[in-house]
Amino acid sequence: MDPNKSPSAPPAAWNSGEKSMMGQPPPPSYQEYPQYPGAGQPQPGYYPGHPQGYVPPPQPMGAPGYGQPYAGGMYPQGAQATVAVQPTTVYVTCAPLANPVPDYLGYSIFTMLCCCLPIGIAALVSSISTRDANNQGNAEAAQKSSRRARNLNHTGLGIGLAIIIIWIVMSVVVRNQ
């Protein structure tokens, strides 16, 4: 098959040396804004022919041309060069706590299955968030979630025991009548 006749081949009149503007006008030329103070005047650190903010690299002492006129202007002897550094992304990771806070996960599962389902589910969620906070190294959040899980578990166990005791008492009273 001839590659020039494939459906994705450019037309025969295509000139690959020219750039196509795709029917769009050229971008506007750079204009200085005279309403800003100091516009049109060279700023400190401005070197003609270079982008704004360009700082020439320092030359080592003893290098030919040190202290001599430089491509962007005079580079005085002994002056320090200013280097602009782009900020980089910093990833901070936390290690798990050395002494993890108790998460009461087993107690939460027992409360959920055997005592009081709604309070047991809330206690289970708090237990899991305690475990996550322990793994992320967040001691304050781990303590808060652990305390909430413990209190919910105690409440659920108390409600469950109260329901069981009331059920036993009611069944004994009904049987004796």
Side-chain angles (χ1 to χ4, degrees):
M1 179 173 182
D2 186 13
N4 292 331
K5 295 187 181 185
S6 72
S8 63
W14 177 265
N15 184 357
S16 63
E18 292 180 14
K19 288 187 176 180
S20 169
M21 289 298 286
M22 291 196 267
Q24 296 191 12
S29 61
Y30 176 75
Q31 298 174 358
E32 295 208 15
Y33 297 98
Q35 70 266 25
Y36 296 120
Q41 299 173 3
Q43 302 296 321
Y46 173 76
Y47 295 92
H50 296 287
Q52 186 154 358
Y54 170 78
V55 177
Q59 292 188 356
M61 289 173 95
Y66 183 75
Q68 301 299 320
Y70 190 67
M74 183 70 163
Y75 195 73
Q77 192 167 8
Q80 295 287 330
T82 305
V83 177
V85 178
Q86 293 285 332
T88 58
T89 304
V90 177
Y91 295 101
V92 178
T93 58
C94 295
L97 293 176
N99 297 320
V101 180
D103 58 6
Y104 302 107
L105 187 64
Y107 191 15
S108 297
I109 292 171
F110 174 77
T111 302
M112 181 180 69
L113 296 176
C114 299
C115 298
C116 183
L117 182 67
I119 294 177
I121 290 173
L124 183 66
V125 170
S126 293
S127 295
I128 291 171
S129 67
T130 301
R131 184 168 282 194
D132 289 343
N134 277 335
N135 290 335
Q136 292 173 358
N138 190 349
E140 183 179 334
Q143 289 174 349
K144 184 178 176 183
S145 296
S146 176
R147 195 175 318 115
R148 186 181 326 120
R150 185 193 64 215
N151 291 339
L152 287 170
N153 281 319
H154 289 339
T155 303
L157 182 65
I159 290 173
L161 289 176
I163 290 173
I164 291 172
I165 291 172
I166 291 172
W167 182 71
I168 292 173
V169 168
M170 293 300 286
S171 64
V172 169
V173 169
V174 170
R175 190 176 291 171
N176 289 337
Q177 286 182 355

